[in-house]
Amino acid sequence: MKTWRVDDFARRAGATCAGVPGDATFTGFSLDSRSVAPGSLFLCIRGERVDGHDFGPQAIASGATALLTERELPGLPCIVAPSLVEALANFAKSVRAEFGGPVIGITGSNGKTSSKEFVAAALSPLGPVLKNEGNRNTEYTAPLIWAELENHQAVVSEMAMRGFGQIDHLASIAKPTISIITMIGTAHAEMVGSRAGIARAKGEILPHTSDLAIFWREDDFYGDLVAMAKTPVRTFGFSAEADCQILGYQALDWQTSRILVQLGTDRFEFEIPTVGRHQALNAAAALLAAQACGVDPLTACAAMRHVRLPEMRMEPKQIDGVMFLMDNYNASPDSTVAAIRTMNELPAQGRHVAVLGEMRELGNFAESGHRLVGKALVGSRFDQVILFGDSANWIEDEAVNLGFPAELITRAVDLNEIRERLLLLSEGDVVLIKGSRALGLEEALPGASTK
């Protein structure tokens, strides 16, 4: 982690120092006063329920060098700015202006984080690649990656959307040379009202993109995205119209799949350490980005064999002979349907079981989105489906109405009941765990402590 002088940060951020020694330095940022890293800069973020300024004394006592604040806190070393969001943006923009390498900006309803990891892996032959760690993709956390810029040859910036204007803000900082929009789905639809609204919000990245835009060719809003693009466009997908066409996908086991793609006149076959046709799409998008950055496609394919995805994204976990596919970092209708289809293609000696939690932040799409999941259950290989959450009743209603056996569906009232049912499974059974992050479905695994 790079060390910064406090006065240099303040200058770049358009802020002023108050009570900070002139030679003070910090290494990294802390956002939670309960886990302040010694020598870090603590961000006093004002939230809906808590104000980070109230925890400034605690942060300094825990070893923070200084506080980034929106008001002076007497007796404490502060970098004071009218707005934390603008201060972080100003700082990041100043560093971005000094970087001449490729910057890949990634957004979309699903697959952002996985795509980020695939792109970073595919670009790794260029040298060190800087990327958001975890899901640091908001107006407070996405700018922080620029503080880590040293000898990196490329930057991959993931951008989250919770409403109009957010992607515009983040993209104005990153100024991507290449942008990837993974897909236009229904996640966070309640923030912008419709899928068309999601397309407009995600499309805010495009005016800030200088060289190339990469889209999913089969996206319902592909035409809208092309109309918004100010640069050449390349596409990925399973259709013959895609520039990087996926010709074949095969799950080899629970954590490896093989992909065959056609890129121009060449074909490339390679393996990735995860499963799911949606992950094949993420890899294809990364291949296009790598090629545009000068990485030989064959080299990029080989590099993606070593990608490491974050936990709870198609993560296999074996407990007492039962295989669990943990895909519950978050859930939307699109990602849940994709997970169901992936389970249909995976080998199993025993029963197929699904634990499906309700999906949140869908707004007007809540009922139709859950019904899409119910429809996907019809014709699936599941021998038992455990539903959790009030909105999951639409999953059951749709599935049963379309012919899925009602006796195979059970409703759980809490995580303890889910765990009790999972304890009845036998060696060789396989289980999909999928639901909104707030549900904490991983707590229902055998051996976990439920809340």
Side-chain angles (χ1 to χ4, degrees), residues 111 113-115 118 238 246 249 257 259 270 272-286 304 307 309-310 313-315 327 338 342:
T113 302
S114 294
S115 292
F118 275 110
F238 286 89
I246 302 170
Y249 163 83
S257 54
I259 304 168
F270 59 102
I272 56 174
T274 186
V275 294
R277 293 176 182 270
H278 55 299
Q279 298 290 15
L281 290 169
N282 295 333
M304 285 191 284
V307 70
L309 299 183
R313 289 175 172 85
M314 307 303 286
E315 177 190 8
D327 193 36
T342 299

Side-chain angles (χ1 to χ4, degrees), residues 19-324:
V20 184
D23 59 350
T25 62
F26 69 91
T27 303
F29 301 86
S30 293
L31 287 77
D32 189 332
S33 62
R34 296 166 296 183
S35 56
V36 170
S40 63
L41 178 65
F42 179 72
L43 308 187
C44 295
I45 299 172
R46 288 187 297 125
E48 293 182 1
R49 292 184 294 273
V50 296
D51 185 347
H53 293 77
D54 297 336
F55 300 95
Q58 180 181 337
I60 295 298
S62 297
T65 294
L67 312 172
L68 180 59
T69 67
E70 293 180 340
R71 63 176 184 270
E72 188 172 344
L73 300 179
L76 296 177
C78 299
I79 303 173
V80 186
S83 163
L84 255 68
V85 170
E86 290 306 314
L88 293 172
N90 291 338
F91 167 76
K93 287 177 180 178
S94 75
V95 180
R96 168 65 180 98
E98 299 168 359
F99 180 67
V103 177
I104 292 79
I106 301 177
T107 190
S109 297
N110 298 305
K112 293 185 296 296
T113 302
S114 294
S115 292
K116 173 193 69 181
E117 299 298 336
F118 275 110
V119 170
L123 293 177
S124 62
L126 296 175
V129 177
L130 181 62
K131 62 183 180 181
N132 314 62
E133 292 301 324
N135 63 335
R136 293 195 161 200
N137 55 19
T138 70
E139 66 271 29
Y140 289 107
T141 56
L144 304 185
I145 67 168
W146 293 98
E148 302 172 28
L149 185 68
E150 294 187 271
N151 64 330
H152 298 92
Q153 300 302 301
V155 177
V156 185
S157 179
E158 177 187 346
M159 305 177 194
M161 182 278 292
R162 293 194 304 273
F164 291 116
Q166 187 171 25
I167 298 297
D168 178 62
H169 173 75
L170 297 177
S172 73
I173 297 170
K175 296 188 181 302
T177 56
I178 298 172
S179 62
I180 298 174
I181 298 181
T182 59
M183 69 168 299
I184 304 301
T186 55
H188 306 299
E190 68 176 356
M191 308 295 181
V192 292
S194 66
R195 288 188 69 201
I198 293 173
R200 291 197 304 274
K202 300 295 185 183
E204 290 173 358
I205 194 174
L206 299 174
H208 301 282
T209 303
S210 62
D211 296 349
L212 177 68
I214 298 174
F215 305 142
W216 177 33
R217 186 59 181 84
E218 293 93 71
D219 198 305
D220 292 341
F221 288 85
Y222 169 72
D224 300 78
L225 296 177
V226 170
M228 286 186 275
K230 308 299 182 183
T231 64
V233 170
R234 299 201 77 194
T235 61
F236 60 94
F238 286 89
S239 68
E241 294 81 9
D243 294 302
C244 185
Q245 182 188 7
I246 302 170
L247 299 175
Y249 163 83
Q250 180 186 10
L252 302 179
D253 53 41
W254 275 71
Q255 48 194 356
T256 311
S257 54
R258 180 184 295 124
I259 304 168
L260 174 64
V261 302
Q262 178 147 347
L263 185 57
T265 58
D266 298 318
R267 291 187 176 187
F268 303 94
E269 186 174 65
F270 59 102
E271 294 181 3
I272 56 174
T274 186
V275 294
R277 293 176 182 270
H278 55 299
Q279 298 290 15
L281 290 169
N282 295 333
L287 185 55
L288 286 172
Q291 184 188 45
C293 292
V295 180
D296 175 71
L298 190 62
T299 303
C301 291
M304 285 191 284
R305 178 67 180 85
H306 305 288
V307 70
R308 297 185 63 181
L309 299 183
E311 295 181 345
M312 293 189 288
R313 289 175 172 85
M314 307 303 286
E315 177 190 8
K317 188 184 294 287
Q318 192 167 46
I319 302 175
D320 297 330
V322 178
M323 183 64 79
F324 294 87

Side-chain angles (χ1 to χ4, degrees), residues 125 381 441:
R381 297 174 62 185
L441 290 177

Side-chain angles (χ1 to χ4, degrees), residues 417-430:
E417 182 179 351
I418 296 175
R419 181 165 60 173
E420 289 172 2
R421 293 184 180 279
L422 295 179
L423 286 170
L424 299 175
L425 299 179
S426 304
E427 184 175 346
D429 291 346
V430 298

Side-chain angles (χ1 to χ4, degrees), residues 109-110 183-190 195 198 216 278 327 330-341 356-377 391 394-395 432 434-436:
S109 297
N110 298 305
M183 69 168 299
I184 304 301
T186 55
H188 306 299
E190 68 176 356
R195 288 188 69 201
I198 293 173
W216 177 33
H278 55 299
D327 193 36
N330 214 334
S332 69
D334 310 287
S335 65
T336 304
V337 170
I340 290 172
R341 290 174 177 168
L356 303 178
E358 65 180 350
M359 300 168 290
R360 298 179 178 177
E361 298 182 339
L362 295 180
N364 294 332
F365 291 94
E367 179 175 355
S368 60
H370 285 85
R371 289 190 179 277
L372 281 174
V373 174
K375 182 179 180 180
L377 288 176
S391 297
W394 287 314
I395 297 177
L432 169 65
K434 183 73 175 173
S436 281

